[in-house]
Amino acid sequence: MIDPGSPAVLAEYQSARGMLAGLAYRLLGSWHDVEDVLQEAYVRWSAADRTDVAEPRRYLTRVVTRLSIDVLRSRQARRETYAGEWLPEPVPSDPFGSADMSDLSLAVLHLMERLTPPQRAVYVLRTAFTLPYDEIAEILGRTPEDCRQLHHRAVRSIDEDTPRFDPAPEEQRQLLLDFVAAARDGDLPRLESMLKATAASYTDGGGLRRAARKPVVGRTKVATFFAHIYSRGDVSVTPIELVTGPALHITLGGRPHVLTLDTTDNQITTLRVLANPAKLSALE
């Protein structure tokens, strides 16, 4: 019998940890929640009867998925009292090791917030991990046909609003820098030329920082909003690389936030301002 605290047990878990972190982050969009889920998954892995574990990665995938669904359901119950917009946490690529995260974007993570926990789980397991429906059904305790329908609804909900063409990282980074520079100058014509007519901005302050409680929608309103923010006081801008792509770490009045964007046809469609200090810990 294998000792649950043996190096072999830990080694099996560590070999899958990057993949598990990527799975949990896609499901939760919160690094704080990811760490809690991974810790609980290891506790369960350490205590598991090895005679019931044919494939460690499959077992751990099932545990992490089910724990994440529980967190999502609990978070949905709390979301009604959350102050303003809820945005995914920005996370650098380091915690995921060699796991492939090239498919991930903040746009998709943000859009997945509209899904139910089972829909989100099926979408991630099928789209990002290409698991067959019978295996997804076993993980979720549902039928394969049920999972197929959940995936169909999730895809229909997300794909209609997902940016079709992402610019190269260097182009996205430069667009961010140009946008902030124009906002600092209060150059409204320049800002409006960079924005789609239907552009929207989302700000997450979590009730801990001053923030727009509702999305700001429309080219002129978004341009005016950012010109008002960045043309006041000292602004410090540092390009950073997140697992989801380029971003800017901005300090305004001594308080940091992270700015990201989505584009279509070389114009900005969405801007996200993550100012909730509780969600910036992964960048420290």
Side-chain angles (χ1 to χ4, degrees), residues 3-271:
D3 177 6
S6 72
V9 171
L10 177 60
E12 285 178 321
Y13 173 80
Q14 291 289 10
S15 69
R17 191 181 187 282
M19 179 275 291
L20 298 173
L23 169 61
Y25 183 60
R26 287 178 173 90
L27 288 170
L28 299 169
S30 163
W31 187 248
H32 175 77
D33 289 337
V34 168
E35 289 181 317
D36 288 345
V37 163
L38 292 184
Q39 182 176 2
E40 177 61 24
Y42 180 68
V43 170
R44 298 192 182 191
W45 168 243
S46 299
D49 183 348
R50 291 302 182 275
T51 61
D52 295 331
V53 180
E55 297 181 33
R57 281 181 174 254
R58 180 173 291 185
Y59 173 88
L60 286 164
T61 296
R62 181 171 67 250
V63 170
V64 167
T65 300
R66 290 179 177 178
L67 288 171
S68 297
I69 288 175
D70 290 342
V71 172
L72 286 171
R73 285 174 171 152
S74 175
R75 196 165 72 193
Q76 279 188 337
R78 302 193 308 269
R79 188 65 56 80
E80 294 181 2
T81 61
Y82 192 82
E85 189 74 16
W86 191 97
L87 294 177
E89 289 183 31
V91 177
S93 57
D94 309 55
F96 302 97
S98 60
D100 182 9
M101 303 293 285
S102 59
D103 66 295
L104 194 59
S105 72
L106 278 178
V108 173
L109 284 176
H110 192 188
L111 290 170
M112 280 199 288
E113 289 300 311
R114 65 177 63 168
L115 305 179
T116 65
Q119 282 177 334
R120 186 161 180 162
V122 172
Y123 181 84
V124 169
L125 292 170
R126 181 65 178 172
T127 304
F129 293 87
T130 62
L131 295 187
Y133 285 115
D134 57 349
E135 188 170 338
I136 296 173
E138 181 183 349
I139 291 172
L140 299 184
R142 292 172 176 264
T143 66
E145 181 57 32
D146 188 19
C147 291
R148 187 175 286 104
Q149 289 300 318
L150 287 171
H151 183 254
H152 174 72
R153 295 188 193 110
V155 168
R156 185 173 57 189
S157 177
I158 290 175
D159 280 10
E160 61 187 16
D161 292 324
T162 301
R164 297 301 176 194
F165 302 101
D166 293 328
E170 57 272 17
E171 294 173 345
Q172 192 172 12
R173 188 178 301 109
Q174 190 59 53
L175 188 56
L176 277 163
L177 290 168
D178 291 346
F179 183 83
V180 173
R184 293 174 71 175
D185 292 339
D187 189 345
L188 289 176
R190 172 64 175 150
L191 288 171
E192 290 190 24
S193 72
M194 301 171 72
L195 294 161
K196 279 281 191 181
T198 55
S201 70
Y202 301 86
T203 306
D204 183 346
L208 302 174
R209 292 289 184 266
R210 291 184 61 184
R213 295 293 185 96
K214 296 181 179 180
V216 178
V217 180
R219 175 185 288 148
T220 300
K221 289 183 178 179
V222 172
T224 302
F225 176 74
F226 281 94
H228 177 71
I229 292 175
Y230 291 141
S231 62
R232 301 179 301 159
D234 294 331
V235 180
S236 173
V237 180
T238 304
I240 58 175
E241 196 67 29
L242 305 177
V243 68
T244 49
L248 297 182
H249 186 279
I250 300 174
T251 301
L252 176 64
R255 292 182 171 178
H257 64 265
V258 169
L259 178 68
T260 64
L261 56 73
D262 302 328
T263 65
T264 297
D265 300 327
N266 296 317
Q267 284 188 304
I268 298 169
T269 58
T270 307
L271 288 144

